[in-house]
Amino acid sequence: MTDAPLASPVSATPVFCEDNELGYRRSLTDFTSPLTLDESYRLAHLPLVAPEHPDIIPRREGKFYEMGRHPAVYSLVLPLEDQALRASPAFLALENELKAAPFAGKIAWDILPKRQDRLHATICGSLSLAEAPAITAETREALRRIEPFTVELRGLFSGNVNRGRLYLAVYPEKRAGLNTLQQVQAAFDRAPGDLWLVGLYNLTDDLDATETAALADIITRWWNKPLLNLAVTEFQVMGAQDDLVLDAHVEALLLLGA
């Protein structure tokens, strides 16, 4: 294969994609009524954080979940170090607001230390099931031609799917008009996405009207506030048997610009 010029190196002042280019506004929870945990959350997440809750869905025909667990699924993920996140004063201020919120008692705080070494945003989900995927030479070559770039984490985010999980939103760097995370997806022949999320907090119950209003207020005030700029140099192929990746393992590291 003939070498092509590599992309430009990480810029000193990266330009990030903004809301009009991404799907966060479109995918936001509707807060006009009290927040209830949706079916996908009660099937995949609630059994892991509140297994005695009466509204869990332990299994469903046509789905591979059994009390929140399933055969290993392998995905391409962007790793995030918990230590780097907690070195951010802005993030700590956000978390302190959550701890003081009227719904703080409905956050599964005990799950956080169990996940702190596997925080990530999924870039290409479900690369393979049960067995690790084979990464082709063409894919590795495509990744080699993408120089390291920057993403910015902003928060807080609650979506209209898996309602009950709270995330940080990932805003990718844009170079020459191109979304860098979409370039990574293209290396795997995936259609371009428009939202990438770092799952952090899980609710253990529905919220009442007061609690929902408090969550909506935090999300509104923290919307688009930068929490951390992350230099992206590698991705992981991660396998896990639950959607909280409590048992996750890293199958492979894939470098950019290598």
Side-chain angles (χ1 to χ4, degrees):
M1 182 178 295
T2 302
D3 284 346
L6 294 176
S8 300
V10 175
S11 59
T13 55
V15 174
F16 298 105
C17 298
E18 295 297 340
D19 282 338
N20 62 346
E21 304 166 276
L22 301 171
Y24 297 114
R25 292 285 186 188
R26 182 193 69 240
S27 304
L28 186 62
T29 295
D30 180 0
F31 291 112
T32 58
S33 58
L35 184 149
T36 57
L37 309 178
D38 66 7
E39 288 192 6
S40 61
Y41 186 87
R42 293 188 289 123
L43 177 67
H45 295 258
L46 195 59
L48 301 173
V49 299
E52 305 302 322
H53 196 288
D55 290 339
I56 66 168
I57 302 174
R59 64 194 61 84
R60 173 156 289 169
E61 185 177 354
K63 302 288 186 180
F64 60 11
Y65 292 94
E66 180 70 32
M67 285 298 290
R69 297 184 63 79
H70 53 68
V73 174
Y74 292 85
S75 300
L76 183 78
V77 306
L78 169 62
L80 169 63
E81 290 187 2
D82 180 73
Q83 184 177 2
L85 186 60
R86 296 191 174 278
S88 162
F91 170 75
L92 295 179
L94 168 61
E95 187 168 82
N96 284 337
E97 283 202 29
L98 290 174
K99 289 179 177 178
F103 56 87
K106 294 181 178 179
I107 294 177
W109 296 105
D110 60 308
I111 293 293
L112 269 63
K114 299 176 183 178
R115 303 185 64 251
Q116 65 182 5
D117 62 345
R118 58 205 71 183
L119 298 180
H120 68 277
T122 300
I123 307 304
C124 298
S126 301
L127 292 177
S128 66
L129 179 64
E131 295 189 6
I135 307 300
T136 67
E138 289 78 10
T139 292
R140 293 179 185 273
E141 175 70 6
L143 292 174
R144 187 184 74 82
R145 299 188 184 289
I146 303 173
E147 283 292 328
F149 55 86
T150 305
V151 300
E152 188 165 79
L153 302 184
R154 306 176 190 174
L156 188 69
F157 180 82
S158 173
N160 54 20
V161 177
N162 282 336
R163 197 169 57 242
R165 197 168 198 202
L166 304 177
Y167 306 84
L168 303 183
V170 179
Y171 285 74
E173 184 178 350
K174 183 167 61 174
R175 290 188 184 156
L178 298 177
N179 178 321
T180 46
L181 284 180
Q182 290 180 348
Q183 290 182 286
V184 173
Q185 290 178 315
F188 287 82
D189 292 323
R190 289 296 182 93
D194 61 4
L195 74 165
W196 300 273
L197 300 164
V198 178
L200 274 184
Y201 307 104
N202 283 78
L203 298 179
T204 58
D205 207 350
D206 299 335
L207 302 186
D208 62 25
T210 298
E211 294 165 339
T212 298
L215 175 59
D217 176 64
I218 291 174
I219 288 175
T220 297
R221 286 187 293 102
W222 282 89
W223 192 271
N224 268 339
K225 283 192 177 180
L227 303 178
L228 176 68
N229 281 15
L230 179 65
V232 180
T233 61
E234 66 181 30
F235 291 85
Q236 297 175 351
V237 176
M238 178 180 286
Q241 293 182 299
D242 66 84
D243 286 11
L244 293 185
V245 297
L246 296 174
D247 67 345
H249 66 279
V250 176
E251 184 68 25
L253 289 177
L254 300 175
L255 302 180
L256 296 180

